Amino acid sequence: EVQLVESGGGLVQPGRSLRLSCAASGFTLDHYAMHWVRQAPGKGLEWVAGISWNSGSVGYADSVRGRFTISRDNAKNSVYLQMNSLRAEDMALYYCAKASGGHYYYYIDVWGKGTTVTVSS
Amino acid sequence: DIQMTQSPSTLSASVGDRVTITCRASQSISSRLAWYQQKPGEAPKLLIYKASSLENGVPSRFSGSGSGTEFTLTISSLQPDDFATYYCQQYNSYSWTFGQGTKVEIK
């Protein structure tokens, strides 16, 4: 069974950092692009970042560019989101998501259950 | 960035109704559009990809159409399990963007 399990969320003060992890199982990670999508409480979905199968292409939403970094370790079947200089508006449920192919022009076909990030002093 | 505009934001309908949701892109995205369904407390679920291709296991009452900048999601006969929020999303270029969502409510 294809599965994505996020971890690393929690309560963090504004300006601090947090690293999210996504453990993939049930498929060969290095064949697929991966993404992070977030959802603030009561709000819609917002794409955060994406990374191609070999890390050769990455993309970020304007709202996080320069503060967040997406990376992957195919040998460890894991994807990461390093979040620096966190702001109140970054507070959300963060989903890890698998694309249907290796590059940015493939849609998301599998979602994790998400990990919650709370930014508050 | 490409902006995705969904309409309506909320839709009240009855079981058995035909429902149509529209999604407009601020520039052409070819057919690189997906539709997702999300229920409260759950992760989104893929319904349609490449504008009109039905994901495996999704009931045939769901259909998608369009290309370029205008897209629609149609539910031919609304069922109780379909009351949820629906999102369109373009994957034509980074940055990806979602529509703001359409909540389908019971009338």
Side-chain angles (χ1 to χ4, degrees):
Chain A
E1 180 193 3
V2 174
Q3 199 169 11
L4 301 170
V5 179
E6 303 91 337
S7 61
L11 173 64
V12 62
Q13 293 179 329
R16 303 298 291 266
S17 298
L18 207 58
R19 188 196 198 204
L20 305 183
S21 298
C22 172
S25 60
F27 66 101
T28 305
L29 183 66
D30 61 8
H31 290 179
Y32 300 98
M34 297 293 292
H35 299 267
W36 289 95
V37 176
R38 68 185 180 184
Q39 187 168 36
K43 302 297 184 182
L45 300 170
E46 180 187 16
W47 176 79
V48 173
I51 185 168
S52 63
W53 68 279
N54 62 352
S55 304
S57 176
V58 296
Y60 297 96
D62 288 347
S63 58
V64 306
R65 188 175 293 115
R67 300 187 298 122
F68 289 12
T69 302
I70 188 171
S71 62
R72 63 191 295 158
D73 186 335
N74 290 336
K76 294 184 177 180
N77 292 317
S78 294
V79 182
Y80 308 99
L81 186 68
Q82 177 66 42
M83 305 186 295
N84 298 332
S85 303
L86 281 161
R87 306 168 179 168
E89 54 264 36
D90 296 318
M91 186 162 63
L93 179 64
Y94 283 73
Y95 292 104
C96 175
K98 169 190 167 291
S100 57
H103 299 280
Y104 73 84
Y105 44 83
Y106 287 90
Y107 55 91
I108 289 172
D109 61 356
V110 178
W111 298 72
K113 295 186 185 306
T115 186
T116 299
V117 173
T118 302
V119 183
S120 176
S121 53
Chain B
D1 290 0
I2 299 173
Q3 306 304 314
M4 305 300 293
T5 304
Q6 274 183 248
S7 60
S9 297
T10 306
L11 189 160
S12 296
S14 302
V15 172
D17 284 354
R18 182 181 180 89
V19 167
T20 298
I21 299 169
T22 297
C23 182
R24 291 187 173 87
S26 59
Q27 63 189 74
S28 178
I29 57 170
S30 183
S31 295
R32 288 179 178 157
L33 183 103
W35 290 95
Y36 300 92
Q37 177 194 65
Q38 187 179 36
K39 297 179 180 178
E42 297 184 7
K45 172 189 171 185
L46 175 66
L47 298 176
I48 301 284
Y49 61 93
K50 213 186 311 179
S52 60
S53 296
L54 192 68
E55 172 69 349
N56 288 341
V58 174
S60 58
R61 62 181 179 272
F62 290 92
S63 64
S65 65
S67 66
T69 61
E70 297 272 337
F71 303 88
T72 59
L73 173 70
T74 299
I75 309 173
S76 60
S77 178
L78 198 64
Q79 298 302 300
D81 191 47
D82 301 338
F83 292 97
T85 300
Y86 295 84
Y87 296 92
C88 63
Q89 182 245 322
Q90 67 83 15
Y91 51 98
N92 187 62
S93 62
Y94 281 153
S95 304
W96 284 10
T97 41
F98 286 87
Q100 78 276 20
T102 295
K103 185 174 183 180
V104 177
E105 298 180 327
I106 301 173
K107 190 172 184 178

